[in-house]
Amino acid sequence: MSDVQTSSSEVRKPSLLGVLFSPTEQFERIREKPRFGMALTILMVLSVIILSLTGLALVENPIYMEKAGVEEAGLPPEAFTAITIGSMLFGGVIGTPVLLLLRSLFHWLFMMLFRGEASFKQLFSLNTHLYLLPVLSSLIYMVYLWVTGGGGTDPETLPTSLSAFVSAEGFLKGLLGGIEIFAIWELILTASGLSIVGRLSKGKGWAIALIIFGVTLLMMAGFTALGEMADSMAP
């Protein structure tokens, strides 16, 4: 009994960078020690910094300002900057944990459906560590904006997505925007993580990951289409 307790206590905590370089080992650690406090804090701080700098870059972009209708609304540039950065900060501080909670909830529901063994805490820890990939995508996007100013195209287009290479509008544009290098990487690691943490077959792990990914992709495309429709109807 003491040997079991000793071996259990020797299990190291999962690490953020380890998810990139030794994911299988980190997923086993998450199963044994589903910690997330430090990882969540680090990712939220990084998100706030990156999103704030992204907001500052966007308000300097004339295409973004024109699409936002700043001149037509008669909004002072300082007020628009404050609103933009404020919304970015809100997304980093509130949006990040809410997104992780919702995603973990859906994973947990599917885990029960497929008779997996993962608890909500384990899944929240898994999703928290995997959130490093969207943060890295945001970092590249922020650097891209500051270096190129948006490249003279739509500044809201992620340079690591298909929409940066294939011209499209509306629903298709949103669909291509969600098919992005880090999103695919995250999808692969999510499928593997669900299988390892939940003790599921690879097929079931992929099924859950693809369902969530597909629904998220369709929602993003729908919001993009609705946004463009609203812009076209604006006077």
Side-chain angles (χ1 to χ4, degrees):
M1 184 68 177
S2 60
D3 292 338
V4 174
Q5 292 175 343
T6 301
S7 61
S8 177
S9 63
E10 291 175 352
V11 177
R12 297 172 60 188
K13 298 178 182 179
S15 69
L16 278 174
L17 291 179
V19 169
L20 302 180
F21 303 108
S22 57
T24 301
E25 178 185 351
Q26 303 309 315
F27 297 152
E28 290 290 354
R29 292 184 186 181
I30 287 172
R31 177 172 173 80
E32 298 298 327
K33 284 191 174 183
R35 306 290 192 267
F36 55 82
M38 182 61 70
L40 181 59
T41 301
I42 292 172
L43 292 173
M44 286 182 64
V45 170
L46 288 175
S47 295
V48 166
I49 295 173
I50 292 170
L51 291 173
S52 298
L53 292 174
T54 299
L56 287 173
L58 285 173
V59 296
E60 295 295 327
N61 187 287
I63 299 177
Y64 180 80
M65 298 287 281
E66 181 180 352
K67 287 183 63 178
V70 177
E71 291 187 2
E72 291 82 353
L75 194 66
E78 297 80 6
F80 181 69
T81 299
I83 293 173
T84 301
I85 296 178
S87 62
M88 294 285 188
L89 290 175
F90 180 84
V93 175
I94 305 298
T96 298
V98 170
L99 174 65
L100 293 174
L101 284 170
L102 289 175
R103 190 172 181 183
S104 300
L105 175 61
F106 286 118
H107 281 157
W108 180 63
L109 293 175
F110 276 106
M111 190 65 63
M112 290 194 297
L113 179 64
F114 285 102
R115 298 185 179 182
E117 301 177 9
S119 66
F120 182 85
K121 183 178 180 180
Q122 289 171 322
L123 294 172
F124 187 78
S125 177
L126 172 66
N127 284 309
T128 299
H129 285 80
L130 290 178
Y131 194 70
L132 175 63
L133 292 164
V135 170
L136 290 176
S137 177
S138 299
L139 175 63
I140 291 176
Y141 173 53
M142 181 268 290
V143 173
Y144 166 77
L145 286 177
W146 278 102
V147 172
T148 68
T153 58
D154 185 352
E156 295 180 279
T157 298
L158 291 176
T160 52
S161 70
L162 283 180
S163 61
F165 305 96
V166 180
S167 179
E169 298 295 333
F171 186 86
L172 181 58
K173 178 182 177 181
L175 201 65
L176 294 175
I179 303 175
E180 185 257 349
I181 293 174
F182 288 93
I184 300 300
W185 191 357
E186 185 184 14
L187 170 65
I188 295 171
L189 291 183
T190 299
S192 175
L194 290 172
S195 299
I196 294 173
V197 175
R199 293 296 189 255
L200 293 171
S201 66
K202 290 184 179 180
K204 290 181 178 180
W206 270 104
I208 298 173
L210 284 172
I211 290 172
I212 302 299
F213 179 78
V215 171
T216 303
L217 196 60
L218 291 175
M219 290 179 62
M220 288 175 57
F223 284 133
T224 301
L226 289 174
E228 291 194 357
M229 186 183 301
D231 290 338
S232 64
M233 295 174 62

